Amino acid sequence: MSETDYSSFNEIGLTRQKCLNCGKHFWASTKRKNCGDSDCDRYTFLGAGMVPQPYSVSRMRSKFIDFFKETHGFVKPYPVVPRWREDVLLVNASIYNFQPHVTMGYAKPPENPLVMSQPSIRMMDVDNVGVTGRHLTGFEMMCHDSFNYPDKEVYWKNETISYCNSLLTKSLGIDQANITYTEKPWSGGGNAGNALEVFVGGVEIATLVFMDLRKDRNGTTQIDGDYYSPMELKIVDTGYGLERMTWLSKSKGTIYEAVYPELVSHLIDKAEVRELPEEYLMQYLDLAIHSNPYNEREVISQTTGLLSKKFPHFKEREFLESLTKMRSVWSLADHSRSLLFMLSSYVIPSNVKVGYLARMLIRRSLRHFQNLGIKEDLGELLELQYASYKDIIGSFDFDFSNILLERERSKYEEVLKSGTALVHRIVDKKGKLSQDDFRQLYESHGIPYETISQIVKEKTGETPEYRPIPVKETIEQVEVKDVPSIEKYDTRALYYDDTSIREFTAIVIQSGKDFVVLNQTAFYPEGGGQPYDTGFLYYGSRKFSVRAVQKINGTIVHWVDGKIPEKVRVRGEIDNDRRDRLMVSHSSTHLLLAATRKVLGPHIWQSGVQKGTDYSRLDVTHYEKISDEDIRKIEKLCLELIKAGKKISVRMIEWNLALKKYGFGLFQGGVPLSSKLRVVEIEDTDAEGCGGTHLKSTSEIGMIKIVKVESIQEGIQRIIFASGIGALEYTQKLHDFYSSTIPALASGIDTASQKFAKVFESYLENRKRYGKTLDELADLLILTAERKLENGIEYFTGKAEISEDLIPLLVPRVKKIGSPLMVISKKSGSRILTLISDREDARKLLFDIMGKNKVVSGNSRIASLNLGSADEKLIS
């Protein structure tokens, strides 16, 4: 990289230098030995007052946005859960809002250039939060971005540098001598480019990324092990840390006291924590910053040693007690804000994906409450946080959050109760725990690391060492393999032109073994939970079954039972009944989701879906089993909406216009990569981005019947339902069942369930009596068994034929007689000879007694032989 890449640095008097410590190139207004990174320099901003006046978080945010508002379009923050993406769990940076649809050129940005402040969460440093004095899980990334197209350039590197430098020096009043810009490559989310890291007084406050590369296995530019190639779109992606800039302006204490002063004071007062003197904090923080990676024992040892020399009245025990308490205060301040962000996006704590991350923060918070010795009231902290962030996240459902927090508190108490006993058993058995033990106890049983360590220390006297398990923040993408070589072709989708088209003609563009690609088709390919259409293709006098239709790398492929030549005309015929049923199922899914949200609340999000011709399923996020009463309410609301004949419309809408009108609820059913969103709207009821085939009106659905609701995993409820003709067929099956059952119960339909309950209760009582009788018979059989000796083998025989149900009860009783037992039972009209042994040699013994030519079945404890005409003298 040459100096001319950043010529604006020369204009403002900065020169390019090389760091003597890390070797990176950087730009500064004065001659320096290092680049200003905290790895190479100290936090010189602490106590230095490098910003003339202190700013709160809200004032710093406004200062930044107001600076850019005259030249940039303001964009409101997106939710922290990126439902417009399928590869990540949480928004880690502001650019996540525009990947991949904008960065890949499919859609335009909402403004160009733009300014925004985006709430973000990164969990990779969660173990350092509250410990180092500077790490956070939640933060706001402020940005001013520009998107430069081949036919329209907005601004690029030099303008970006000018904006940044003017903000820092002219708007915030920072001395130019305290600012450095360090060069480095950047990559993330499938893109890459050159970047500048901006430091003031040793703290990184911004990164200026010049994104002009796209991940490409055939690319020639390598960054962090991946290859990239140039892209037409050049993006200025900046990220300014709101919290760090706020901390910089206050220049004292830890980042927590700068960002959350009211909350920190509230917790200190409530827990009656002895605050640490500012000079103690400064010393601790200075050492913690330069411990990379952070080393707990070393930092504490060095801190107490230096403080003992500096301050004659320093008391190490009081310092460590206060530090431990303050760490919990700082952690609660951070975790409660991240939870506010998460729960505002209706994340439901669980053991999977983003729910797992929320649960982790809640349980860590509950431990910190315990450490402070105060009542666990996360709800109160969320209310305090909301007062400061309501302008950022909008409305917040406190009823929803309080329900979840109470459920999580109860579950956590159960985990501690059962988990503590489990850890004790493992330590007693092994003496110490391995890393795998820690991982298993934490991941499978939810037992906190600190709890495990404390138990080990109490039982062994040693503090175990463990390595924190990296937190996954991405979703693994499944790579499709074994796909035939098919050239990309944009087949015209007739099913979008008119869903009533069931016959058509087309030209075969590609043909291979058992597949064809057509220039146009009415066959719907599998996608969005809707199964593919089936039917036939006719070529000449031949008829080919269409077994499946799929989109492979963007190409619609028809799988057929034979070979059709290329460049010939064929006639397609859709299975009309299957298509009709699937259209009803798909529109019903949208209606059912809308009704479920209306009845249960806005936290309901579609988690998965599969439409079918008979039954369909809808997986939704919910924190408890959906009750029978709620099911009836949902069904009734569905019926009302069906009777109302709500219009179902389908429109292609530009991304940003669609988001502005309908919000992020559009992404209930997936994320299309296209310049426009295909929006399916049920009048005044629901709107979703969807690529499926739909009805014209809700009245065409007929009816929806929920068949079953089940919990498929924590936080996810599966609704199995039937609709249209499928719902009618289901009710007919129910009618047939009642018609055959009710006469036997001598009851009417209104009283059948009560009568059945009584019959079943009587059945259970009889089974109980029968079981008792069997136990008595088993004991009697053992007492009356006769001893025999055959071919040198001693065994006992029962005196009479027995019920087959008796055999399992005889297995544990055989030990009493000390030898195998031979009995005869009846099964399906046949007489079965069974030998029961307690020495796991039943098959061999039965062979030896009855002869090697007999067919013996069973296992080592129970062996059987169908007697037929076999000689019964041995057991007579």
Side-chain angles (χ1 to χ4, degrees):
M1 181 184 293
S2 66
E3 292 186 38
T4 55
D5 286 327
Y6 302 123
S7 58
S8 60
F9 280 137
N10 298 321
E11 296 173 8
I12 55 180
L14 274 64
T15 59
R16 191 173 190 246
Q17 305 171 46
K18 188 173 183 178
C19 181
L20 297 180
N21 186 54
C22 68
K24 293 178 183 176
H25 285 96
F26 66 95
W27 298 79
S29 62
T30 59
K31 189 67 177 176
R32 298 172 56 98
K33 292 182 179 180
N34 55 55
C35 61
D37 190 331
S38 59
D39 289 339
C40 305
D41 202 353
R42 310 201 82 78
Y43 268 12
T44 56
F45 79 93
L46 292 173
M50 292 184 176
V51 180
Q53 61 173 300
Y55 287 85
S56 66
V57 166
S58 58
R59 284 191 62 223
M60 182 62 79
R61 185 193 303 118
S62 297
K63 185 79 171 177
F64 181 89
I65 292 172
D66 290 344
F67 179 83
F68 288 100
K69 254 189 173 180
E70 291 185 7
T71 53
H72 293 63
F74 174 68
V75 177
K76 291 182 179 180
Y78 284 30
V80 77
V81 177
R83 292 186 170 98
W84 59 93
R85 295 184 61 167
E86 296 178 327
D87 57 334
V88 291
L89 297 175
L90 291 164
V91 170
N92 282 184
S94 55
I95 194 63
Y96 275 41
N97 299 347
F98 313 117
Q99 290 176 315
H101 54 285
V102 175
T103 58
M104 292 183 69
Y106 288 101
K108 297 291 184 182
E111 298 283 351
N112 195 13
L114 62 81
V115 59
M116 72 183 303
S117 186
Q118 173 59 42
S120 306
I121 296 177
R122 294 180 184 175
M123 299 291 289
M124 65 280 287
D125 294 320
V126 68
D127 288 305
N128 284 328
V129 172
V131 176
T132 63
R134 72 186 193 279
H135 282 97
L136 301 168
T137 58
F139 61 97
E140 282 183 60
M141 181 173 283
M142 303 183 296
C143 69
H144 59 96
D145 295 349
S146 71
F147 301 81
N148 301 287
Y149 295 87
D151 59 344
K152 182 182 179 182
E153 182 168 309
V154 181
Y155 65 79
W156 192 228
K157 296 180 180 179
N158 289 317
E159 294 89 344
T160 304
I161 293 168
S162 296
Y163 276 126
C164 177
N165 210 65
S166 294
L167 170 72
L168 300 181
T169 58
K170 296 178 182 178
S171 183
L172 292 176
I174 300 173
D175 190 332
Q176 186 73 71
N178 293 324
I179 307 171
T180 59
Y181 296 84
T182 303
E183 300 174 4
K184 67 166 290 183
W186 173 92
S187 64
N191 299 108
N194 292 319
L196 293 167
E197 292 180 335
V198 186
F199 296 92
V200 177
V203 62
E204 182 186 352
I205 61 168
T207 302
L208 314 178
V209 175
F210 307 107
M211 188 190 303
D212 57 0
L213 299 172
R214 176 181 292 131
K215 188 179 287 187
D216 179 2
R217 66 178 63 183
N218 298 317
T220 56
T221 301
Q222 187 177 18
I223 299 176
D224 296 332
D226 292 317
Y227 286 91
Y228 296 84
S229 60
M231 60 184 191
E232 287 188 345
L233 183 61
K234 294 183 177 182
I235 301 171
V236 171
D237 165 32
T238 69
Y240 294 73
L242 171 60
E243 291 74 17
R244 294 215 179 159
M245 291 179 69
T246 302
W247 189 20
L248 175 68
S249 77
K250 294 187 177 181
S251 71
K252 63 179 182 178
T254 67
I255 196 170
Y256 312 107
E257 286 142 333
V259 176
Y260 315 104
E262 296 85 1
L263 195 64
V264 167
S265 296
H266 169 79
L267 287 167
I268 287 174
D269 292 342
K270 195 168 185 178
E272 299 180 352
V273 176
R274 182 190 298 111
E275 288 191 69
L276 291 168
E278 189 72 16
E279 55 268 28
Y280 288 10
L281 278 179
M282 294 288 196
Q283 184 65 71
Y284 170 77
L285 183 61
D286 184 64
L287 291 169
I289 288 165
H290 298 96
S291 177
N292 190 16
Y294 179 81
N295 186 306
E296 174 78 2
R297 293 178 179 175
E298 183 179 317
V299 171
I300 293 293
S301 175
Q302 290 184 20
T303 301
T304 53
L306 289 171
L307 290 176
S308 297
K309 293 177 181 178
K310 280 187 177 183
F311 304 100
H313 300 294
F314 172 74
K315 297 180 180 179
E316 181 176 336
R317 181 176 178 181
E318 289 184 359
F319 169 75
L320 293 177
E321 287 178 355
S322 295
L323 181 62
T324 300
K325 298 287 187 181
M326 286 305 299
R327 284 177 168 181
S328 289
V329 168
W330 297 333
S331 296
L332 283 169
D334 167 82
H335 291 0
S336 59
R337 185 177 68 165
S338 292
L339 284 169
L340 180 77
F341 288 159
M342 285 187 182
L343 297 180
S344 69
S345 292
Y346 293 110
V347 172
I348 295 178
S350 68
N351 285 331
V352 294
K353 297 184 179 179
V354 69
Y356 169 76
L357 303 181
R359 172 166 289 171
M360 179 196 298
L361 289 182
I362 292 172
R363 291 188 174 180
R364 288 176 67 93
S365 298
L366 293 174
R367 293 201 303 277
H368 288 302
F369 274 120
Q370 291 171 0
N371 184 48
L372 291 173
I374 58 179
K375 181 183 176 183
E376 302 96 334
D377 195 350
L378 260 175
E380 180 186 36
L381 296 193
L382 262 61
E383 287 187 27
L384 293 172
Q385 293 281 21
Y386 180 69
S388 301
Y389 292 95
K390 59 184 177 183
D391 292 337
I392 294 296
I393 66 174
S395 61
F396 186 79
D397 192 338
F398 281 102
D399 290 338
F400 165 75
S401 66
N402 288 334
I403 289 172
L404 292 187
L405 293 176
E406 176 56 30
R407 292 173 66 87
E408 286 301 300
R409 185 196 62 77
S410 178
K411 288 180 180 179
Y412 178 66
E413 289 178 354
E414 292 176 8
V415 164
L416 289 183
K417 186 176 181 180
S418 60
T420 300
L422 178 61
V423 177
H424 275 284
R425 288 199 300 272
I426 295 176
V427 175
D428 288 340
K429 183 178 181 181
K430 294 187 174 183
K432 64 179 181 178
L433 299 185
S434 66
Q435 290 293 320
D436 287 339
D437 292 328
F438 266 98
R439 182 186 296 271
Q440 181 73 11
L441 289 166
Y442 179 67
E443 290 187 345
S444 299
H445 301 280
I447 308 171
Y449 288 132
E450 291 83 354
T451 301
I452 303 170
S453 297
Q454 185 63 33
I455 294 172
V456 174
K457 186 176 180 180
E458 290 173 357
K459 293 185 75 67
T460 65
E462 298 181 1
T463 301
E465 293 286 342
Y466 68 88
R467 296 181 297 276
I469 301 168
V471 177
K472 285 188 177 181
E473 297 191 57
T474 59
I475 301 173
E476 294 182 5
Q477 301 297 302
V478 179
E479 183 179 351
V480 179
K481 297 181 179 180
D482 301 324
V483 175
S485 178
I486 298 173
E487 294 180 19
K488 187 170 178 59
Y489 186 82
D490 188 14
T491 300
R492 181 181 177 183
L494 297 175
Y495 48 82
Y496 282 158
D497 294 344
D498 185 352
T499 56
S500 67
I501 297 175
R502 304 302 164 86
E503 292 189 22
F504 66 98
T505 60
I507 304 298
V508 178
I509 301 299
Q510 296 177 55
S511 177
K513 182 182 179 182
D514 299 333
F515 79 87
V516 293
V517 176
L518 308 176
N519 71 323
Q520 62 178 12
T521 185
F523 283 94
Y524 182 84
E526 181 179 21
Q530 179 172 327
Y532 47 74
D533 286 330
T534 58
F536 301 97
L537 288 178
Y538 296 89
Y539 166 57
S541 60
R542 295 187 63 189
K543 178 179 179 181
F544 298 82
S545 293
V546 177
R547 296 181 284 103
V549 187
Q550 296 173 308
K551 259 194 176 182
I552 300 177
N553 299 326
T555 301
I556 298 176
V557 179
H558 304 71
W559 299 97
V560 296
D561 56 353
K563 172 77 172 176
I564 304 176
E566 292 184 354
K567 300 180 181 180
V568 300
R569 183 176 294 276
V570 294
R571 180 171 65 86
E573 183 181 277
I574 311 295
D575 183 329
N576 199 56
D577 180 64
R578 178 181 171 85
R579 166 67 78 80
D580 285 345
R581 285 173 175 255
L582 291 174
M583 286 175 63
V584 168
S585 294
H586 205 145
S587 294
S588 298
T589 303
H590 286 223
L591 189 69
L592 180 60
L593 178 61
T596 305
R597 283 174 65 86
K598 182 72 174 176
V599 171
L600 299 181
H603 64 277
I604 296 293
W605 279 81
Q606 179 175 302
S607 175
V609 67
Q610 184 62 52
K611 293 85 177 179
T613 55
D614 298 319
Y615 303 101
S616 299
R617 64 170 171 82
L618 171 65
D619 300 340
V620 297
T621 56
H622 192 45
Y623 47 80
E624 62 185 356
K625 179 73 180 292
I626 300 175
S627 69
D628 291 341
E629 182 182 354
D630 286 332
I631 290 173
R632 284 191 286 271
K633 289 179 180 179
I634 293 167
E635 289 178 330
K636 183 180 178 182
L637 181 55
C638 285
L639 182 59
E640 290 172 358
L641 293 169
I642 290 170
K643 288 169 62 179
K646 297 287 186 179
K647 181 182 177 183
I648 302 176
S649 60
V650 180
R651 288 183 295 162
M652 299 297 293
I653 307 177
E654 192 272 328
W655 260 79
N656 297 304
L657 291 177
L659 284 179
K660 187 175 182 180
K661 182 174 182 180
Y662 301 107
F664 293 95
L666 284 174
F667 302 114
Q668 293 279 359
V671 186
L673 262 183
S674 58
S675 59
K676 293 184 177 181
L677 289 175
R678 186 174 186 266
V679 178
V680 177
E681 182 177 9
I682 300 177
E683 179 187 0
D684 303 326
T685 303
D686 180 69
E688 298 178 35
C690 180
T693 57
H694 287 274
L695 306 170
K696 302 295 184 185
S697 169
T698 58
S699 62
E700 297 178 53
I701 293 173
M703 68 177 291
I704 293 175
K705 181 70 187 83
I706 295 176
V707 176
K708 182 171 63 171
V709 174
E710 57 190 8
S711 299
I712 59 169
Q713 66 183 47
E714 199 172 13
I716 304 292
Q717 292 289 302
R718 171 164 292 174
I719 302 174
I720 309 293
F721 69 97
S723 55
I725 190 68
L728 175 62
E729 291 171 346
Y730 175 70
T731 56
Q732 288 172 337
K733 290 178 183 177
L734 290 179
H735 178 268
D736 291 343
F737 169 75
Y738 274 110
S739 295
S740 60
T741 305
I742 289 173
L745 292 172
S747 172
I749 192 169
D750 293 332
T751 58
S753 59
Q754 296 94 323
K755 188 68 177 288
F756 179 79
K758 290 182 179 179
V759 172
F760 188 67
E761 184 181 352
S762 176
Y763 164 76
L764 292 177
E765 183 61 31
N766 288 334
R767 283 290 301 179
K768 184 178 180 180
R769 291 173 182 169
Y770 178 61
K772 186 177 181 181
T773 301
L774 286 178
D775 274 328
E776 293 172 350
L777 288 175
D779 289 336
L780 182 62
L781 183 65
I782 293 296
L783 287 172
T784 60
E786 293 184 357
R787 180 180 176 279
K788 288 185 177 290
L789 185 67
E790 188 73 28
N791 299 330
I793 301 172
E794 180 185 77
Y795 61 95
F796 284 80
T797 64
K799 286 189 173 182
E801 287 187 356
I802 66 169
S803 166
E804 189 182 10
D805 294 341
L806 202 59
I807 291 175
L809 299 178
L810 295 172
V811 174
R813 290 172 164 86
V814 167
K815 286 186 178 180
K816 291 183 178 181
I817 56 178
S819 295
L821 174 69
M822 193 97 75
V823 294
I824 293 180
S825 63
K826 279 192 175 181
K827 182 178 180 181
S828 302
S830 298
R831 302 174 78 231
I832 307 297
L833 176 66
T834 301
L835 183 139
I836 305 165
S837 172
D838 67 333
R839 293 191 293 269
E840 299 191 352
D841 56 356
R843 283 174 59 86
K844 180 179 183 303
L845 289 175
L846 195 54
F847 268 126
D848 292 342
I849 295 171
M850 299 301 294
K852 301 290 185 180
N853 62 332
K854 301 295 189 296
V855 179
V856 175
S857 60
N859 54 46
S860 58
R861 298 293 299 276
I862 302 174
S864 298
L865 171 66
N866 192 324
L867 287 174
S869 58
D871 185 0
E872 299 179 24
K873 65 183 180 66
L874 296 175
I875 56 168
S876 59

